Amino acid sequence: MSGFVLDVHDYAGQRVVLTEEVFAAHVYSAAKGEADREFRRVALSFVPQVLRRPRFVYYNYDDPKSTRLRYLDLAIMPDGKIKAVLVVVDTASVPWQVVTWFAMTKLKGERTAQGGVIFGGSQV
């Protein structure tokens, strides 16, 4: 198994890791544009916080049999803009694994109509 870029426990005490392979696929892949790669590098610094203290955790609304959870919170980016940071975690393995992460301004595609909120919290 690979090494880990991140190894944290989420809000419920579950161990979640980001493997070096997944990190490299998102940050060093030539298939992604330089702007996307740089934005993920910046967003990565917020991933531990999002996992430990998410605003919401919900499951994939497209596939009820999916083993993926979506952790969401807000963060202030280095440029001062507030963005939603989403971390997608696969629960099929132990430890659980981050499969992707990113920051976004609009939440048009995020919904729970066909999925469900597992955790709803807020930070003080």
Side-chain angles (χ1 to χ4, degrees), residues 35-111:
D36 180 83
R37 293 191 306 259
E38 179 57 28
F39 205 57
R40 286 180 192 268
R41 282 187 207 84
V42 171
L44 181 64
S45 66
F46 297 101
V47 170
Q49 169 189 320
V50 172
L51 293 171
R52 290 183 187 124
R53 296 189 64 191
R55 189 160 307 269
F56 294 105
V57 178
Y58 49 102
Y59 56 86
N60 190 328
Y61 48 81
D62 291 328
D63 180 4
K65 295 180 183 179
S66 175
T67 58
R68 293 183 175 186
L69 297 178
R70 301 167 79 81
Y71 291 67
L72 178 76
D73 199 4
L74 300 176
I76 300 173
M77 298 290 125
D79 63 4
K81 294 180 181 176
I82 297 174
K83 298 202 182 270
V85 177
L86 182 70
V87 182
V88 180
V89 174
D90 193 334
T91 64
S93 63
V94 176
W96 290 1
Q97 294 186 21
V98 172
V99 294
T100 193
W101 72 96
F102 45 90
M104 55 193 161
T105 304
K106 297 180 182 178
L107 297 174
K108 294 184 341 185
E110 301 304 312
R111 61 181 188 269

